[in-house]
């Protein structure tokens, strides 16, 4: 990956809706070479996808919590079963496996505290292999969706 590729990635991080023509202009390339580089970056996995960033509050999701999960067993199949169960819960918008204790950090959104409590009591506590759940509420988003340093 050279300097031009990094420029392409930086521009796309700022605005993923850029046309290839606009992108080429911004990075100082003609259309064909820019398109080839863009395709190569996609094929190499440097670009994971394109999406719109939505405002949770505008969608009625005014509540956010971080849930720490400790598993009973951390062998292959129980971990795979746990992760598969997480994928079925749309309110979990991000999940990270951690080294040490706890084993996972879940980012959860909900309409409000009662909706979160219902999710917690009815779904999170019934996920297979969960030993302990601990949650904390998000007071304020300070840094969110920060662009990667280029």
């Amino acid at each position: 990956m050279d300097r031009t590729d990094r420029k392409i990635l930086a521009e796309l991080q700022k605005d993923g809706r850029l046309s290839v023509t606009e992108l080429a202009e911004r990075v100082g390339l003609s259309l064909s070479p820019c398109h080839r580089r863009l395709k190569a970056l996609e094929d190499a996995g440097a670009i994971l996808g394109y999406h719109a960033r939505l405002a949770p509050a505008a969608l009625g999701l005014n509540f956010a919590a971080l849930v720490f999960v400790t598993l009973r067993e951390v062998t292959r199949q129980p971990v795979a079963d746990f992760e598969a169960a997480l994928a079925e819960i749309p309110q979990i918008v991000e999940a990270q496996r951690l080294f040490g204790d706890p084993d996972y950090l879940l980012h959860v959104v909900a309409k409000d505290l009662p909706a979160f409590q219902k999710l917690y009591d009815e779904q999170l506590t019934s996920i297979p292999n969960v030993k302990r759940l601990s949650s904390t509420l998000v007071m304020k988003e300070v840094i969110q969706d920060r662009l990667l340093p280029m």
Side-chain angles (χ1 to χ4, degrees):
M1 184 175 305
D2 64 13
R3 185 176 178 187
T4 302
D5 289 336
R6 290 186 181 282
K7 281 183 183 179
I8 290 170
L9 294 173
E11 289 299 329
L12 287 173
Q13 273 196 120
K14 290 181 216 168
D15 184 357
R17 293 182 64 170
L18 285 175
S19 69
V20 179
T21 303
E22 291 171 310
L23 181 61
E25 286 176 19
R26 289 187 186 190
V27 300
L29 289 174
S30 61
L31 189 59
S32 291
C34 184
H35 188 267
R36 278 194 301 275
R37 283 177 177 261
L38 181 57
K39 179 76 171 116
L41 289 166
E42 291 170 346
D43 291 345
I47 298 171
L48 298 177
Y50 302 90
H51 66 275
R53 200 170 134 226
L54 307 178
L59 302 170
L61 300 169
N62 297 303
F63 188 87
L66 302 175
V67 179
F68 301 94
V69 182
T70 302
L71 300 180
R72 284 188 179 89
E73 222 181 315
V74 290
T75 56
R76 181 179 296 165
Q77 194 58 52
V79 165
D81 293 344
F82 172 78
E83 291 179 359
L86 293 182
E88 298 300 315
I89 303 172
Q91 295 89 339
I92 299 173
V93 295
E94 190 171 347
Q96 298 163 315
R97 187 169 181 196
L98 309 174
F99 279 110
D101 188 32
D103 297 306
Y104 286 85
L105 170 59
L106 312 179
H107 298 249
V108 179
V109 295
K111 176 183 161 194
D112 52 23
L113 179 57
F116 173 71
Q117 180 183 356
K118 182 177 180 183
L119 172 78
Y120 190 97
D121 292 345
E122 294 178 8
Q123 293 184 8
L124 297 180
T125 59
S126 63
I127 297 174
N129 195 32
V130 171
K131 177 180 179 182
R132 183 175 60 248
L133 295 171
S134 173
S135 61
T136 188
L137 307 182
V138 175
M139 180 187 301
K140 173 183 167 185
E141 295 287 349
V142 178
I143 298 173
Q144 184 179 13
D145 298 326
R146 176 179 270 172
L147 303 180
L148 295 175
M150 299 301 299

